[in-house]
Amino acid sequence: MERLTLSNAAFEGNNNAYLFNDGPETVLIDTGDWMDATRTQLEAALEDHGVTVEDIDRIFLTHWHPDHTGLAGEIQSRSGAAVYAHVEDAPLVEGDEQAWNDLHRTQERYFDEWGIPEPKQAVLRERMVDPTTIQAPEVTTMEDGDVFTVNGHDLRVVHTSGHAAGLCMFETTLDGASVVFTGDALLPVYTPNVGGADVRVENPLEKYLRALRRIADAEYTRAWPGHRDPIDDPTGRAEHIIDHHEERAWRVLNVLDESGPLDTWEVSAALFGELSDIHILHGPGEAYAHLEHLERTGDVITKGRTYRIAESAIEDLQQGTTQRWKLGF
């Protein structure tokens, strides 16, 4: 297996694609985005390992985001490669017009519900990817637990919804060690966004925390993420992100205790300050994921589009109750 590092202007850092070519098949996990620079880098990286785009037999996609899927359609047209994506993400990867229209309508609804100011909404609309500019592949769907054999390695699909509805990891054994390709379920520097990165996901924080617990309990030797460098302690990293969300939940409650009632945009501003570019979506999306979760646990009460802290949660704050899982995590 070889890691191919590809440029990406997004804040997460360079994308990774992973190449398996130690046998009769040439297989990729993720492709990077659709930009010319990425295509050139991918072609050069493949050549360094003795293969070309035309040699690729199969592509496994971790999730629908275009920085991971952007070249899948072009590669398929040049090589005939089969392209696999989770059943929940396949319509977006295939460029299905109805699926993209539904996504955009849901985004617009949340822009209003979250209280994002109109000038900020305009920035987001300019930032959004137009799927018609990307060559889309035909997709073969996969689901949790599916196993694919690649040059003698079994790749097992692990569905880890949260950051994206159909986000999948691929676990396997390399050189006798249990490893996992995590896409954006686990990153070495940033905590993957929940709530804004895929507005189709219901109960996004709960699902993501469940995914993190699954990663932590698996005790993988190494994780190969969708961005940046490999993670040598996946369990520790997953636990760290769980703790991060626990701390953020208490910050949300403190904000509501001190300044509430507030709408989602106002909570986001208290957490993250002034936002620009795609963060205009990710900030309130993350705030919403926590507010929605805290509402279901009874710690936050909603009225219209605003939220206030429940009396029981005020008591917990006053008593300094910060035990993990107190808030349902």
Side-chain angles (χ1 to χ4, degrees):
M1 188 277 298
E2 303 291 343
R3 177 168 69 109
L4 312 180
T5 302
L6 307 171
S7 63
N8 179 0
F11 68 94
E12 293 96 339
N14 284 347
N15 275 81
N16 293 316
Y18 295 97
L19 171 66
F20 290 81
N21 70 330
D22 57 341
E25 277 195 298
T26 300
V27 173
L28 282 181
I29 295 177
D30 284 351
T31 70
D33 63 32
W34 67 102
M35 300 299 183
D36 290 341
T38 304
R39 181 186 303 105
T40 299
Q41 291 166 5
L42 179 63
E43 290 173 339
L46 292 172
E47 184 177 347
D48 287 342
H49 296 290
V51 294
T52 67
V53 167
E54 287 71 19
D55 294 321
I56 295 172
D57 298 296
R58 288 192 283 177
I59 301 169
F60 294 95
L61 299 174
T62 58
H63 60 299
W64 67 269
H65 289 162
D67 60 329
H68 294 260
T69 67
L71 289 174
E74 179 179 334
I75 294 171
Q76 186 180 68
S77 70
R78 292 171 61 178
S79 69
V83 176
Y84 296 84
H86 189 270
V87 63
E88 292 193 44
D89 281 5
L92 292 174
V93 176
E94 289 184 316
D96 181 80
E97 184 176 358
Q98 184 63 52
W100 278 94
N101 286 341
D102 289 346
L103 173 67
H104 289 151
R105 277 194 293 269
T106 304
Q107 288 173 329
E108 291 286 346
R109 175 168 59 82
Y110 276 122
F111 293 171
D112 290 335
E113 288 183 7
W114 293 345
I116 300 177
E118 181 54 41
K120 295 289 189 178
Q121 292 190 32
V123 172
L124 281 181
R125 294 186 190 103
E126 288 292 323
R127 178 67 169 75
M128 295 301 178
V129 172
D130 179 356
T132 64
T133 64
I134 304 173
Q135 186 173 350
E138 295 182 4
V139 172
T140 301
T141 59
M142 61 186 182
E143 298 189 60
D144 185 67
D146 287 348
V147 178
F148 300 90
T149 301
V150 177
N151 296 337
H153 304 285
D154 284 344
L155 289 183
R156 181 179 296 276
V157 178
V158 181
H159 184 209
T160 47
S161 181
H163 176 73
L167 197 154
C168 288
M169 308 189 307
F170 303 97
E171 60 182 22
T172 190
T173 300
L174 294 177
D175 298 325
S178 174
V179 302
V180 63
F181 299 87
T182 61
D184 286 357
L186 194 74
L187 298 175
V189 177
Y190 292 97
T191 56
N193 180 257
V194 289
D198 190 345
V199 294
R200 302 175 304 151
V201 183
E202 295 182 0
N203 307 335
L205 183 59
E206 177 182 326
K207 289 179 178 176
Y208 183 51
L209 291 167
R210 190 182 304 144
L212 288 169
R213 176 50 53 202
R214 189 171 183 178
I215 294 169
D217 291 347
E219 297 185 344
Y220 300 112
T221 301
R222 171 171 284 193
W224 298 93
H227 300 271
R228 299 179 180 260
D229 295 326
I231 302 167
D232 290 331
D233 181 13
T235 292
R237 180 61 181 161
E239 294 279 9
H240 174 81
I241 298 176
I242 291 171
D243 289 342
H244 162 84
H245 281 292
E246 179 78 1
E247 293 168 2
R248 176 157 290 166
W250 286 98
R251 286 188 63 201
V252 170
L253 291 177
N254 272 302
V255 167
L256 292 178
D257 185 38
E258 294 172 359
S259 306
L262 301 172
D263 67 15
T264 304
W265 180 255
E266 292 166 332
V267 173
S268 172
L271 294 176
F272 308 116
E274 180 70 18
L275 299 174
S276 61
D277 203 61
I278 196 62
H279 302 287
I280 297 169
L281 174 62
H282 287 177
E286 187 98 8
Y288 165 75
H290 277 270
L291 289 164
E292 181 273 336
H293 187 87
L294 290 168
E295 181 186 2
R296 286 189 293 109
T297 61
D299 295 285
V300 160
I301 298 170
T302 181
K303 182 178 181 180
R305 296 180 180 179
T306 63
Y307 299 83
R308 65 178 177 85
I309 188 170
E311 289 296 327
S312 58
I314 294 175
E315 294 175 4
D316 289 336
L317 286 174
Q318 292 172 343
Q319 295 170 6
T321 306
T322 58
Q323 181 179 357
R324 183 191 286 185
W325 312 118
K326 163 65 187 66
L327 301 179
F329 299 161

